[in-house]
Amino acid sequence: MNKAAAIVAMLCLTASLGHAQKWMTRTGKVSFFSSTSVENIEAFNNEAASVIDAKSGDVAFIVPIKSFKFDKALMQEHFNENYMESSKYPKAEYKGKITNAADVNFSKDGTYNVKTTGKLTMHGVTKDVPATGTIVVKSGTATIKSKFMVAPADFGIKIPSVSASKIASKIEITVDSVLKEAK
Amino acid sequence: MKKILIVLLILVAAGVGAGLYLWNKPHEKAEDRQAMAVTAGVLSEAFAGNEQKANAAYLNQVLAVSGTVSEVSRNQDGNTVIVLAGSDPLSGVQCTMREDGVKASVGDKMTIKGFCNGYTLVVLLSDCIVP
């Protein structure tokens, strides 16, 4: 088991022992959007796992690559086999910290602006990826919303020149995941 | 000359046809493939024990997983999600159903067929059907 997964497992374990400070989901939504003058490509994933420790601000996401669904089967095949090599690297992971966790009141409904610093690992490469977003607390759920840009080239993902005009050099990642308090 | 032109036309039409077919080819369905049968306990234990080895055996395969339903919910897009209990209370096999209308309640024994997408905190099965 690698480091990020171990941390998530640890967070869940402590959550299950009754410290009601952890929020989690196993059906989080993450999508991405690539826009060029030739075409727009988007894909959606409903199988992301995420855990937040409300007290420390630790935040972790595990995103299974094969769970991204495309409109076109052929695109999905190329994404998995040629670009992400998902049989070799089946998941992406984000492990970070909400730097202003004290500003978020998880027991009071509201929209809180947050900033994270953290490391994104995908396609076998780890990079620092800071992000900004909001946590919306509403009737017992905490929804993490964030958008940030990721350059495939930074993660060693090679796009052949024949496809270069169709795939953006920076891809927009959207996180919109509803977490529930772990009991 | 005319013959060559006709042959060329046929070749071009075949090429366009093949291209269109590839572009519009449908998503693979669980029922199109032979399923590997496994219990939810064995599957979740395999991933929790050695994820890399389990990926080599199960990732991308169509699995027919049998077990006891421990949770029924809907994901953010409204799809039915059924969790089959794993070998311990924290583990399980999370099955996202392809279509609505599957009847399942906690405690039911079921077999669910779908594509194995790997492991997060649970083993993931997607585009699932009840065979």
Side-chain angles (χ1 to χ4, degrees):
Chain A
M1 196 189 281
N2 59 32
K3 231 173 163 184
I7 285 168
V8 170
M10 207 178 68
L11 284 174
C12 289
L13 197 68
T14 52
S16 70
L17 293 175
H19 301 277
Q21 299 281 354
K22 313 286 194 295
W23 295 71
M24 70 168 294
T25 180
R26 294 184 316 250
T27 52
K29 192 169 175 176
V30 174
S31 56
F32 71 77
F33 182 66
S34 158
S35 171
T36 64
S37 55
V38 181
E39 66 180 337
N40 292 334
I41 300 167
E42 60 185 339
F44 298 91
N45 189 328
N46 278 299
E47 293 172 357
S50 173
V51 180
I52 295 184
D53 182 319
K55 205 167 184 189
S56 67
D58 286 333
V59 53
F61 271 87
I62 304 176
V63 182
I65 302 300
K66 286 189 189 293
S67 304
F68 279 103
K69 307 275 184 231
F70 290 69
D71 184 29
K72 296 273 180 225
L74 187 67
M75 275 188 194
Q76 194 165 312
E77 199 175 297
H78 288 171
F79 170 79
N80 279 294
E81 288 170 13
N82 305 350
Y83 304 141
M84 297 301 286
E85 299 178 84
S86 61
S87 292
K88 202 169 159 193
Y89 309 108
K91 55 197 189 185
E93 292 176 326
Y94 185 76
K95 187 173 93 60
K97 217 173 178 65
I98 300 167
T99 54
N100 59 328
D103 298 347
V104 186
N105 185 349
F106 282 88
S107 49
K108 192 179 167 214
D109 284 6
T111 299
Y112 304 93
N113 292 316
V114 288
K115 281 184 182 167
T116 68
T117 55
K119 290 186 189 302
L120 175 64
T121 303
M122 97 180 161
H123 195 247
V125 178
T126 301
K127 292 263 168 202
D128 282 311
V129 174
T132 58
T134 58
I135 292 179
V136 181
V137 176
K138 201 183 166 193
S139 44
T141 63
T143 304
I144 306 181
K145 291 178 188 257
S146 177
K147 274 182 202 282
F148 54 93
M149 305 298 280
V150 162
D154 287 349
F155 291 87
I157 298 162
K158 292 186 188 78
I159 313 267
S161 53
V162 64
S163 304
S165 63
K166 298 176 203 155
I167 299 168
S169 61
K170 285 198 166 182
I171 312 278
E172 184 184 68
I173 314 285
T174 301
V175 175
D176 183 359
S177 295
V178 181
L179 280 70
K180 289 190 177 134
E181 199 166 359
K183 287 187 182 104
Chain B
M1 189 63 203
K2 213 173 172 185
K3 250 184 190 166
I4 296 173
L5 215 65
I6 290 170
V7 169
L8 264 179
L9 265 175
I10 290 170
L11 282 177
V12 167
V16 168
L20 273 178
Y21 168 76
L22 273 180
W23 180 244
N24 288 310
K25 80 171 176 177
H27 285 273
E28 215 179 3
K29 288 182 168 177
E31 48 267 59
D32 297 343
R33 274 213 252 157
Q34 187 77 38
M36 197 193 288
V38 63
T39 65
V42 166
L43 187 62
S44 66
E45 211 162 301
F47 273 95
N50 185 335
E51 192 177 342
Q52 214 170 351
K53 215 172 128 194
N55 273 326
Y58 299 114
L59 189 66
N60 248 352
Q61 302 293 326
V62 171
L63 306 180
V65 183
S66 41
T68 306
V69 176
S70 63
E71 194 185 311
V72 181
S73 61
R74 281 183 187 275
N75 69 16
Q76 288 173 240
D77 284 343
N79 298 110
T80 304
V81 177
I82 299 173
V83 178
L84 298 175
S87 48
D88 64 76
L90 281 179
S91 71
V93 180
Q94 176 177 298
C95 311
T96 305
M97 306 308 292
R98 188 178 73 205
E99 279 146 25
D100 244 358
V102 182
K103 284 194 179 69
S105 343
V106 172
D108 288 357
K109 297 223 183 304
M110 308 181 68
T111 298
I112 298 177
K113 188 173 168 183
F115 294 85
C116 183
N117 280 348
Y119 181 73
T120 53
L121 307 169
V122 284
V123 184
L124 300 170
L125 233 56
S126 80
D127 291 312
C128 296
I129 54 167
V130 178

